[in-house]
Amino acid sequence: AMQGSLEQAVRLEREMLRPVKEVSDYVIDTSNIPAAGLKARISDLFLQNDNDAITVHCISFGFKYGLPMEADLVMDVRFMPNPYYIETLLPNPFYVEELREHTGLEAPVRDYVMNCKETEGFKARFTDMIDYMLPLYIQEGKSQLVIAVGCTGGHHRSVALAQYMHDHLAANGIHATVSHRDITKQ
């Protein structure tokens, strides 16, 4: 156990850190700054622009393997069947023999999913929603956002659309990553 008072310990710590302080470019006295204030100060010093304030992770998954626990937002692209509007369902490549063994990363499946008119409407709304929400998340101080896109098996529709969202964000200067959790599962 350390002998002496708290004041002595603080004095000793300051003495030990003096060489570090002398070569530092920035020194922030955190004595009276709440955590949110400190985060804002560091952001002001080091982030080039607001887009640097957040990293978005896009994940595709299959609902039959469970929800990704790390997801902040979950987008279900299975769309519940409505017998009156069956033609509006996002087509499932699983039921197209020549596409079944491919994934949403491959052109035949990606094109099949992306070129259907229902997907166009969905993509516009999906990107509008994310584009609207990102600055609000950044303003709130969120530095990581996980967008999970799910279909039944996690091979086709969710893969193509998670990849699409990643590419959209990256093209707009957002730090984005993409992974396909269930793409290799049978």
Side-chain angles (χ1 to χ4, degrees):
M2 190 170 171
Q3 302 279 323
S5 68
L6 179 60
E7 290 83 10
Q8 288 173 317
V10 170
R11 206 173 8 260
L12 176 61
E13 181 181 58
R14 285 190 175 147
E15 193 59 41
M16 291 169 68
L17 288 173
R18 181 176 303 173
V20 174
K21 186 176 181 182
E22 288 171 0
V23 297
S24 296
D25 293 321
Y26 304 96
V27 175
I28 302 171
D29 182 352
T30 60
S31 303
N32 298 306
I33 302 179
L38 178 59
K39 183 171 185 172
R41 176 82 174 103
I42 292 169
S43 294
D44 290 344
L45 285 172
F46 297 108
L47 297 180
Q48 301 299 309
N49 57 58
D50 279 349
N51 288 349
D52 292 336
I54 196 163
T55 298
V56 181
H57 304 285
C58 301
I59 300 173
S60 69
F61 72 97
F63 275 95
K64 69 182 183 179
Y65 304 112
L67 290 170
M69 296 308 295
E70 67 274 29
D72 295 301
L73 301 172
V74 175
M75 189 58 59
D76 179 352
V77 296
R78 295 172 299 181
F79 301 135
M80 295 299 292
N82 180 331
Y84 299 106
Y85 301 104
I86 197 80
E87 72 278 1
T88 66
L89 290 177
L90 193 57
N92 185 347
F94 181 81
Y95 297 112
V96 180
E97 192 66 45
E98 62 270 20
L99 299 180
R100 183 174 301 156
E101 299 308 315
H102 295 278
T103 74
L105 293 177
E106 297 170 79
V109 172
R110 183 182 59 243
D111 294 348
Y112 180 85
V113 171
M114 293 303 184
N115 291 337
C116 119
K117 72 177 185 346
E118 293 80 16
T119 305
E120 286 302 314
F122 172 76
K123 283 181 355 190
R125 290 165 178 86
F126 188 26
T127 53
D128 283 351
M129 182 180 71
I130 299 304
D131 291 348
Y132 173 77
M133 293 168 74
L134 271 182
L136 301 175
Y137 279 127
I138 291 168
Q139 183 181 321
E140 187 60 33
K142 194 161 181 61
S143 59
Q144 303 276 319
L145 180 70
V146 179
I147 301 171
V149 181
C151 63
T152 305
H155 290 204
H156 302 112
R157 297 166 292 177
S158 63
V159 170
L161 288 159
Q163 191 68 48
Y164 164 80
M165 180 52 68
H166 165 269
D167 296 349
H168 166 77
L169 294 169
N172 285 284
I174 303 292
H175 292 171
T177 65
V178 64
S179 61
H180 305 291
R181 189 190 75 180
D182 300 326
I183 197 168
T184 59
K185 291 185 179 159
Q186 291 304 315

